[in-house]
Every structure is written in structure tokens, then in C-alpha cells.
Amino acid sequence: MRLSQEFINAQLDNAVAQIKVLADRVPADKMPRTFQGDTSVSSDTEWWTSGFYPGSLLYLYEYSGDEELLRLAKDKLTILEKEKHNKGTHDLGFMLYCSFGNALRLTGDTAAYKEILLTGAESLITRYNPTVKAIRSWEGWTYPVIIDNMMNLEFLTQASKLSGDAKYRDIAVIHANTTIQNHYRPDYSSYHVIDYNPEDGSIVAKKTAQGAYDESAWARGQAWGLYGYVMMYRETGDETYLDFAKKIASFILNHPNMPEDGVPYWDFNAPDLPADSPYAADHTSNRDASTASILASALIELSTHTDGEESANYLSKAEHTLKSLSAEPYKAAIGTNGGFILKHSVGSIPHGGEIDVPLTYADYYYIEALMRYKKLLEG
């Protein structure tokens, strides 16, 4: 292990101090989203990132035992609860599991949280189509399924454990298998969006919404897929998922455009964009700290499901990335950056939104990665 307990604790202590700066800036009825041009940007609870801030507070409460963080989290859970009825989004895993799932894990209070989680899981599976064999991501298009949706499956596996009803987990497994079949290219990079025909399950188109072009490897999408399949292996024990996760990891870690510091460009193809790309003039070098955070967390877990040199390699890559994220230029000084921990993330370059800014989910997965590493150190 290359990172010391002192190093990890120092980063977590920093995070506790910084999230309190953030807490002072967040309106009572909103969630923090980003900080742009000296302005804090918040969201309503129906925005897809609404679960990350309470989730971050809960992880930091778990680390510090600081009751103020638990109180701040519970305040936000109160306004977030209504999203359990939201059938208009596939992002309920992010919204409800990263928040209420962590609250249940840490408090054991099933009376407070079980019904919320199971109602949310019911809402999520209304978006499942047995012909397509996948959960619909967005409205519009025909029947779009995005790679990000792999991240909502953990919510369903946990809902089955909580309820004793296998149907949630079964849908998660079917969705994961459909994604293996249709989302991935021969090199184990993923398309962002597969658009299906809901009548017969055939593929209408393979596209991107947030990547550089349809055939490019949008970086955060690659990270979502890796994290999702590592998690599916943990939850099912099916070696297919572990083997697949390793192949995705190999694509990412061995990519010729992976920067030396382990913090990817927003798209793995960004440095090689042709002159006629709409992003070639301004966006060949943007990094995405959110992708790095997700990767670090996923690789730490992957290291625990593998052994020997393979395990050591995944862990050392995660350590290297965490070290990079914990220093300049990515780590903000306490009291700056609107209270967000990390700088230099990218929301969506094609939409011209949240470019080179802090993002709530970058901080969440960074904290999660630190907590996972801390648990490794503690055996």
C-alpha cells in the first residue's frame, strides 16, 4: 500500500472542512451542483445529481463521527424524499441510493429509510421494458439507454436484499447483460447511447450525447461502465462481470491518451480530434476529475476481487490517481472553489455546460475512493 493512513486522513479532514464551507452556501431547498465564475450553482431535487451532496455528507460523517454532518445530511434527505415517486428519470440510483442508501447503511434505521428506498426502486422499474431488456434512460429519442444507467443497478440489487423480492435484482442482471451485448465495441470501449426500438428490441442507432463523436470513447462513460460491472460482480458473483470489468479496465488504463497523472481527458479521443470537429479548437485538452474519481473508486474495489500482480496493478493505478487528485491543480484550497473539493471537471462539452468546473459527483466519488482505501488500510 503506497498511501499512508496519515495521507488518507489528511484528505478526509480537508474534505470535512471544505464541505462545511459548501454547506454555508447551499439554499435550504436546493442541492449544490457546481461553482462557476465565482457563483454557486444549485439544483432542485429532481436534477440527477441531487443525491451526491447528502451522500458526501454521510461518508464524511462515517469518517469523522461529526454529528453536524449527519444533521446537514438529514436536512437534505427531507427535501429529497419526494423523488421516490419520480418515474421520469432513470437516475434514481444516484438520487436515492447514494443518499438514503448510505443513510440506511450508517444508521440501520429501516423505519426511516426502507420504504423510501423500495418506493424509489418501484418507480425505477416502471422504466424497464422486457422487450428491450433494459431500463429506459431519457425521454425523447426512441428508447435511449445510456451507459450511465449501469450505475443505477446497485440500487436495484439492494432493493431485493431489503425487500426479499428478487424482481429488482433480476432486472439489474438483465439490463447489465443487454448492455454487455450492445453497448461495447470490440476494444471494450463503450458507446454512450444505444437507441432501441421498444416494439422489437432492435437497435435504432448507436450515438453519443456527451462525447466528442458517436464512435469516440467519452471518458466518464467508460468509468461508469467499469464501476457498474465491478459492482455487478460483487452483487452476483458472476465471473462474466469480473472478466468484463477487467477488459474495460485494460482499455482505460492502457489507452495511449491516458495522461501520466491518471486524470483522463473528457473524451479519450479528445487529443486526436480532427480539425473539422466542433471541439477541436477549444477542447482537445480538457481534463475530467470526475472521471478520475469514479475510476479510482472502481479500481480500489476491483483490486479486492483480484489477486497477485493484477490486484496490485489496479490498486497502484488508483493510488496514483488519488495522489494526483489530492494536489494541485485538482485539489482546491479550503475556503475556495465555492466549497467544492476538486477542480477541473467536465459536465458536457457538447451542451456547453459545466466545462472545467467543480462538480458534486466528482467530490462524492473522490470521498468514496478515500473511504474505500481507508477500509483497505484497516483490513
Side-chain angles (χ1 to χ4, degrees), residues 77 81 84 96-97 99-105 107-123 155 158-165 168:
L77 295 180
E81 179 179 345
K84 68 188 179 184
L96 299 175
Y97 186 68
S99 55
F100 290 98
N102 272 317
L104 177 60
R105 179 177 66 82
T107 66
D109 191 347
T110 47
Y113 303 123
K114 181 177 175 178
E115 177 277 327
I116 296 168
L117 288 162
L118 293 180
T119 302
E122 275 301 314
S123 296
F155 182 26
Q158 300 309 308
S160 280
K161 289 181 186 171
L162 205 50
S163 64
D165 188 336
Y168 308 107

Side-chain angles (χ1 to χ4, degrees), residues 47-64:
W47 184 244
W48 75 274
T49 64
S50 59
F52 293 118
Y53 173 61
S56 295
L57 287 165
L58 287 160
Y59 272 135
L60 292 173
Y61 163 68
E62 179 181 11
Y63 162 69
S64 66

Side-chain angles (χ1 to χ4, degrees), residues 219-260:
R220 192 161 57 246
Q222 312 313 308
W224 291 142
L226 175 64
Y227 189 113
Y229 285 106
V230 174
M231 177 278 300
M232 286 301 293
Y233 172 67
R234 179 218 314 146
E235 292 301 325
T236 65
D238 185 338
E239 296 281 340
T240 310
Y241 299 137
L242 181 59
D243 292 340
F244 204 70
K246 291 179 187 179
K247 285 166 175 161
I248 300 169
S250 176
F251 171 82
I252 294 168
L253 297 175
N254 300 317
H255 199 286
N257 289 342
M258 174 60 99
E260 196 285 319

Side-chain angles (χ1 to χ4, degrees), residues 37-55:
D38 284 339
T39 306
S40 296
V41 181
S42 302
S43 75
D44 292 324
T45 56
E46 64 264 25
W47 184 244
W48 75 274
T49 64
S50 59
F52 293 118
Y53 173 61

Side-chain angles (χ1 to χ4, degrees), residues 257 265-274 283-285:
N257 289 342
Y265 297 100
W266 68 282
D267 190 297
F268 279 100
N269 298 93
D272 309 320
L273 288 175
H283 298 302
T284 54
S285 61

Side-chain angles (χ1 to χ4, degrees), residues 5-324:
Q5 187 80 63
E6 291 71 27
F7 174 85
I8 296 295
N9 288 350
Q11 309 319 312
L12 287 165
D13 287 339
N14 260 337
V16 169
Q18 186 73 327
I19 210 164
K20 289 182 177 181
V21 174
L22 180 61
D24 287 339
R25 305 181 69 114
V26 184
D29 60 341
K30 305 272 189 213
M31 298 291 188
R33 180 172 160 176
T34 182
F35 181 73
Q36 264 174 303
D38 284 339
T39 306
S40 296
V41 181
S42 302
S43 75
D44 292 324
T45 56
E46 64 264 25
W47 184 244
W48 75 274
T49 64
S50 59
F52 293 118
Y53 173 61
S56 295
L57 287 165
L58 287 160
Y59 272 135
L60 292 173
Y61 163 68
E62 179 181 11
Y63 162 69
S64 66
D66 184 335
E67 295 290 335
E68 186 194 345
L69 300 178
L70 181 61
R71 180 185 60 73
L72 288 167
K74 286 181 170 178
D75 285 349
K76 291 305 183 192
L77 295 180
T78 307
I79 64 165
L80 185 56
E81 179 179 345
K82 63 180 182 293
E83 300 308 327
K84 68 188 179 184
H85 300 300
N86 188 342
K87 296 175 182 172
T89 179
H90 75 124
D91 285 314
L92 293 174
F94 290 138
M95 295 159 74
L96 299 175
Y97 186 68
C98 295
S99 55
F100 290 98
N102 272 317
L104 177 60
R105 179 177 66 82
L106 293 175
T107 66
D109 191 347
T110 47
Y113 303 123
K114 181 177 175 178
E115 177 277 327
I116 296 168
L117 288 162
L118 293 180
T119 302
E122 275 301 314
S123 296
L124 179 54
I125 64 172
T126 63
R127 302 183 65 80
Y128 176 72
N129 177 323
T131 305
V132 177
K133 296 188 168 65
I135 296 163
R136 182 180 188 130
S137 294
W138 297 328
E139 309 316 313
W141 301 61
T142 316
Y143 188 99
V145 178
I146 63 176
I147 189 61
D148 320 35
N149 212 337
M150 284 300 301
M151 298 294 286
N152 294 298
L153 304 184
E154 184 170 13
F155 182 26
L156 295 179
T157 65
Q158 300 309 308
S160 280
K161 289 181 186 171
L162 205 50
S163 64
D165 188 336
K167 70 179 176 182
Y168 308 107
R169 181 181 183 274
D170 292 346
I171 287 173
V173 166
I174 294 166
H175 183 102
N177 294 344
T178 301
T179 303
I180 284 179
Q181 211 176 329
N182 299 325
H183 256 85
Y184 280 83
R185 306 182 182 103
D187 65 356
Y188 297 97
S189 66
S190 171
Y191 287 96
H192 183 198
V193 191
I194 304 295
D195 202 15
Y196 293 93
N197 177 340
E199 305 304 315
D200 62 8
S202 61
I203 292 172
V204 175
K206 299 187 171 193
K207 307 291 268 184
T208 196
Q210 285 166 264
Y213 51 94
D214 290 340
E215 293 295 329
S216 77
W218 173 53
R220 192 161 57 246
Q222 312 313 308
W224 291 142
L226 175 64
Y227 189 113
Y229 285 106
V230 174
M231 177 278 300
M232 286 301 293
Y233 172 67
R234 179 218 314 146
E235 292 301 325
T236 65
D238 185 338
E239 296 281 340
T240 310
Y241 299 137
L242 181 59
D243 292 340
F244 204 70
K246 291 179 187 179
K247 285 166 175 161
I248 300 169
S250 176
F251 171 82
I252 294 168
L253 297 175
N254 300 317
H255 199 286
N257 289 342
M258 174 60 99
E260 196 285 319
D261 66 4
V263 180
Y265 297 100
W266 68 282
D267 190 297
F268 279 100
N269 298 93
D272 309 320
L273 288 175
D276 62 354
S277 161
Y279 315 120
D282 299 315
H283 298 302
T284 54
S285 61
N286 287 91
R287 301 294 194 88
D288 182 25
S290 77
T291 293
S293 296
I294 299 156
L295 284 177
S297 189
L299 288 167
I300 290 166
E301 179 168 3
L302 184 54
S303 78
T304 69
H305 300 311
T306 48
D307 39 48
E309 206 173 305
E310 192 173 35
S311 171
N313 178 50
Y314 294 138
L315 191 58
S316 78
K317 290 293 200 300
E319 289 165 341
H320 183 62
T321 302
L322 273 179
K323 219 165 174 179
S324 296

